[in-house]
Amino acid sequence: MSVSASSVTSRRSKPPAYEPRHAERPATVARRWWDLDTAERDVVLVATFFKVLLFPAYHSTDFEVHRNWLAITHSLPLAKWYHDTTSEWTLDYPPFFAFFERILSGFAYIVDPEIVRLDNLGYDATTALYFQRATVVISEIVLILAAFRRVILPPALKWARRSFKPDPSTASILAASIVSHPGLLIVDHIHFQYNGFLLGILLCSILAARNALQHNLRTSAALFAILLNFKHIYIYLALPYFVFLLRRHCWMPGKALETDRVIELGTIVVAVCAISFGPFVIAGGFSELGQIFSRLFPFQRGLNHAYWAGNVWAIYTAADRVLVKYLAARGWPVSEEAINSASRGLVGTTMFGVLPNITPKITFALTLAFTCVYLTKLWFDPTYKRFLDSLVLAAMTSFLWGWHVHEKAALMFLIPLSLTAADDYNHYRSYVIATTAGVFGLFPLLIKPMETPIKLGYTLLWSLCVYPRITKVVYRPLPNLLSLLVDKAETAYLYGFVALQLYTSIGHGLLFPTTDAAMAVPALVSCASGVLSANGTCIDAAAVSQAKTVSEASMEFLPLMLTSVYCSAGIIWSWLRLSWGFLTT
């Protein structure tokens, strides 16, 4: 999954900078939006064929989550959708996604009525499995059209195909890399979610913003408002959108604020939200809004998700786990609540035993503070390129510093980052490291051994097809000693994933073949007084029991902890690399 720094050919002269043009030269032969050329069609067909082959593969509890949402939206009146608790997997996405599930439920009822029975919990018959898998594949048409620069809009708003680099072949590689991205394959087509569909809407919005004409900026705002009403996690990108649209549409540098345009954009956003939430207000009154928002923002969840996403808090939590294990093994009193809250990667409130506890306010403050740094740069330089970079950095910042971050949220920055991969060497190296770490961080989602060859083989094949092609068109400045050392360190980090995979899949089982506490804490022996001894000092049996619990849990969770910490190092480094380039250019 890595590419050596030496494989990038140095050039002595920097090519002229490329700025997106407002009016691109149209293709020689005008084609309809659904027409793909041979190469594009082959990529889509191969990717789709492989995804269909994975229909019988392992699926997570997210499969039952979405089946239950099909049943809720099909079986209950609108006013009860966000109140139902028949299943623990209650509806917690915004209304547009609920309407999307309602549309799908009509087809599900035709395929198999048992799919939409509300009390039919855990139903995963072949008909249900294949139907839900097929809906993910079909909904990705939005991503395919966006990736290959085909956006379904009224004729007056259509634009010709565009490239993010001067050569069309590079644009095709970037588009193909998005359509066949291993992260999407793992999360959507095996684990089971609809991220491709949602990211397709995001790319459509980004592409609309690329041509900074008034109607396209309005379209970009409308599409992003629609996206927020499908999945609220994209709210982390709202501030870059706000600043960019304000500065490019309403308050352009050197000109006065045009309040009519502010009202225009505000009306678009309000109209989209009214269409989304209005039916629930009509059905159940304004109290429905409070019920919906209580589902969308469940702050009672802990700092970390089920297993730790590869972010700053993974390193912070791992450090606390090590300290807890160290102190407990030596008989120091450690809170039982702290031991049980994060030792095994359980969902719930994360309590730290040694380090200070982290609250939602702290994570929000840090996320907002870092994001505002990028917004300041965007405010004074509201170009499309700066906007795209600020979106990527805002998404990375929310992933690294946010509250209860899912490992799957890495897709929110990995896909937009792909659009910038060929911009320059800094973007390229950040892209390689972040993609490698982000995708590897998704591997533990597939818990069955039979999926291991699939995720490893597919990711390696994708990397070999994508990275070398982008390398050929990326300009690399003449290296100095510092840049050579950085490249060597990055390359060593990338090769470290081989060692990490060997340990998590083989080495850990050999080193810790059992979770028996007595084997996990061999230093504890009996004393003459009837209590146990650690390093020759008699201590209380309760402390020993606690030490055993800590050791057992930490050894069980060690592979996941190592994966999270190692991946977090790469994503943090990519974030720092991109931030440095963003703020200094």
Side-chain angles (χ1 to χ4, degrees):
M1 294 177 64
S2 60
V3 177
S4 172
S6 61
S7 65
V8 182
T9 304
S10 297
R11 297 172 176 84
R12 294 189 176 275
S13 60
K14 185 173 182 177
Y18 175 74
E19 284 291 334
R21 291 161 290 179
H22 292 309
E24 299 270 345
R25 186 166 48 189
T28 305
V29 179
R31 289 187 292 172
R32 292 161 293 192
W33 60 262
W34 61 82
D35 286 338
L36 300 176
D37 62 31
T38 302
E40 294 169 345
R41 188 167 55 249
D42 289 345
V43 169
V44 173
L45 289 176
V46 171
T48 302
F49 176 73
F50 191 75
K51 293 166 186 175
V52 171
L53 287 180
L54 292 173
F55 275 16
Y58 158 80
H59 58 81
S60 72
T61 53
D62 278 349
F63 178 85
E64 171 58 18
V65 170
H66 288 279
R67 188 217 60 81
N68 185 58
W69 293 359
L70 291 174
I72 289 173
T73 56
H74 186 272
S75 306
L76 297 177
L78 189 74
K80 294 185 178 180
W81 286 5
Y82 286 93
H83 292 267
D84 180 74
T85 56
T86 304
S87 167
E88 62 179 310
W89 313 117
T90 53
L91 183 59
D92 59 5
Y93 273 26
F96 274 174
F97 201 93
F99 297 146
F100 172 69
E101 294 278 7
R102 178 63 184 90
I103 293 171
L104 295 182
S105 70
F107 296 100
Y109 180 79
I110 297 173
V111 172
D112 181 359
E114 293 296 309
I115 298 174
V116 293
R117 266 184 51 199
L118 192 58
D119 60 347
N120 200 11
L121 303 181
Y123 184 69
D124 61 351
T126 302
T127 50
L129 179 63
Y130 280 50
F131 170 77
Q132 289 186 241
R133 294 283 200 200
T135 61
V136 176
V137 173
I138 294 171
S139 68
E140 269 194 352
I141 290 175
V142 178
L143 178 68
I144 293 169
L145 295 173
F148 288 113
R149 322 295 190 264
R150 311 304 180 86
V151 183
I152 308 174
L153 293 170
L157 303 183
K158 288 184 180 179
W159 55 88
R161 299 177 68 208
R162 297 181 182 89
S163 159
F164 289 96
K165 292 288 286 183
D167 58 297
S169 62
T170 302
S172 296
I173 287 296
L174 295 178
S177 72
I178 292 172
V179 171
S180 59
H181 201 283
L184 285 173
L185 183 86
I186 291 170
V187 176
D188 283 10
H189 300 281
I190 303 179
H191 186 268
F192 195 86
Q193 279 193 355
Y194 290 92
N195 291 286
F197 163 60
L198 300 173
L199 288 165
I201 300 175
L202 176 62
L203 292 190
C204 288
S205 177
I206 292 173
L207 287 171
R210 186 172 187 269
N211 191 339
L213 300 176
Q214 292 182 27
H215 56 257
N216 282 342
L217 292 177
R218 289 193 292 266
T219 301
S220 177
L223 287 171
F224 184 70
I226 290 170
L227 177 63
L228 281 180
N229 282 274
F230 268 103
K231 192 168 183 178
H232 52 299
I233 192 176
Y234 290 95
I235 197 171
Y236 286 112
L237 307 183
L239 285 177
Y241 263 95
F242 175 78
V243 171
F244 176 75
L245 292 173
L246 180 64
R247 294 292 281 163
R248 291 305 295 264
H249 187 66
C250 309
W251 197 356
M252 289 173 281
K255 297 184 179 180
L257 175 65
E258 300 185 48
T259 54
D260 57 328
R261 292 191 177 185
V262 176
I263 295 173
E264 177 188 65
L265 291 182
T267 302
I268 290 172
V269 174
V270 170
V272 171
C273 293
I275 295 171
S276 175
F277 289 91
F280 293 92
V281 174
I282 295 172
F286 284 98
S287 62
E288 281 298 302
L289 295 180
Q291 176 62 26
I292 293 174
F293 283 116
S294 70
R295 289 284 184 87
L296 299 184
F297 302 100
F299 294 117
Q300 70 275 13
R301 294 177 180 175
L303 174 65
N304 299 309
H305 187 44
Y307 87 81
W308 313 336
N311 61 11
V312 172
W313 306 124
I315 296 177
Y316 189 86
T317 311
D320 185 77
R321 293 304 97 190
V322 172
L323 291 172
V324 166
K325 182 175 182 294
Y326 176 83
L327 295 178
R330 281 152 181 78
W332 285 59
V334 180
S335 167
E336 198 71 31
E337 186 179 18
I339 292 173
N340 295 327
S341 68
S343 295
R344 300 172 184 264
L346 302 177
V347 176
T349 302
T350 304
M351 300 297 296
F352 293 94
V354 180
L355 300 178
N357 284 318
I358 303 298
T359 65
K361 290 182 180 179
I362 293 175
T363 63
F364 295 153
L366 288 170
T367 301
L368 180 61
F370 284 119
T371 302
C372 285
V373 174
Y374 310 127
L375 297 180
T376 302
K377 188 81 171 182
L378 179 62
W379 177 269
F380 292 103
D381 184 23
T383 60
Y384 167 78
K385 185 180 185 303
R386 191 74 68 186
F387 167 62
L388 181 54
D389 283 341
S390 67
L391 284 178
V392 173
L393 286 167
M396 295 184 82
T397 300
S398 67
F399 181 86
L400 290 173
W401 299 95
W403 177 264
H404 196 74
V405 175
H406 291 229
E407 60 285 340
K408 295 161 282 191
L411 292 173
M412 193 167 67
F413 64 82
L414 291 181
I415 299 302
L417 181 59
S418 301
L419 301 178
T420 71
D423 281 0
D424 53 51
Y425 187 68
N426 183 55
H427 280 86
Y428 169 70
R429 291 295 285 184
S430 301
Y431 165 73
V432 171
I433 296 169
T435 301
T436 304
V439 171
F440 197 97
L442 299 173
F443 282 1
L445 292 175
L446 308 183
I447 59 177
K448 294 188 176 181
M450 64 180 297
E451 271 78 40
T452 299
I454 297 174
K455 64 189 181 185
L456 291 177
Y458 184 86
T459 302
L460 180 60
L461 178 62
W462 180 89
S463 302
L464 292 174
C465 292
V466 173
Y467 293 162
R469 293 289 300 273
I470 301 176
T471 301
K472 294 178 180 179
V473 299
V474 172
Y475 162 76
R476 180 187 177 186
L478 289 174
N480 53 36
L481 178 59
L482 178 60
S483 65
L484 285 174
L485 291 176
V486 169
D487 276 2
K488 293 295 184 183
E490 290 175 343
T491 302
Y493 171 80
L494 292 171
Y495 280 117
F497 282 100
V498 177
L500 179 59
Q501 179 61 37
L502 290 174
Y503 176 80
T504 56
S505 59
I506 301 174
H508 184 77
L510 296 176
L511 292 175
F512 305 100
T514 177
T515 58
D516 180 70
M519 293 186 66
V521 194
L524 302 179
V525 296
S526 296
C527 287
S529 59
V531 294
L532 299 179
S533 173
N535 298 327
T537 303
C538 291
I539 57 176
D540 185 75
V544 174
S545 176
Q546 186 181 67
K548 291 181 178 180
T549 302
V550 174
S551 296
E552 178 181 354
S554 61
M555 291 306 105
E556 178 185 354
F557 190 58
L558 183 59
L560 286 175
M561 186 178 77
L562 291 176
T563 299
S564 297
V565 170
Y566 197 79
C567 291
S568 67
I571 297 175
I572 292 171
W573 174 251
S574 297
W575 174 68
L576 293 173
R577 220 184 198 282
L578 287 173
S579 297
W580 177 258
F582 182 86
L583 297 173
T584 57
T585 58

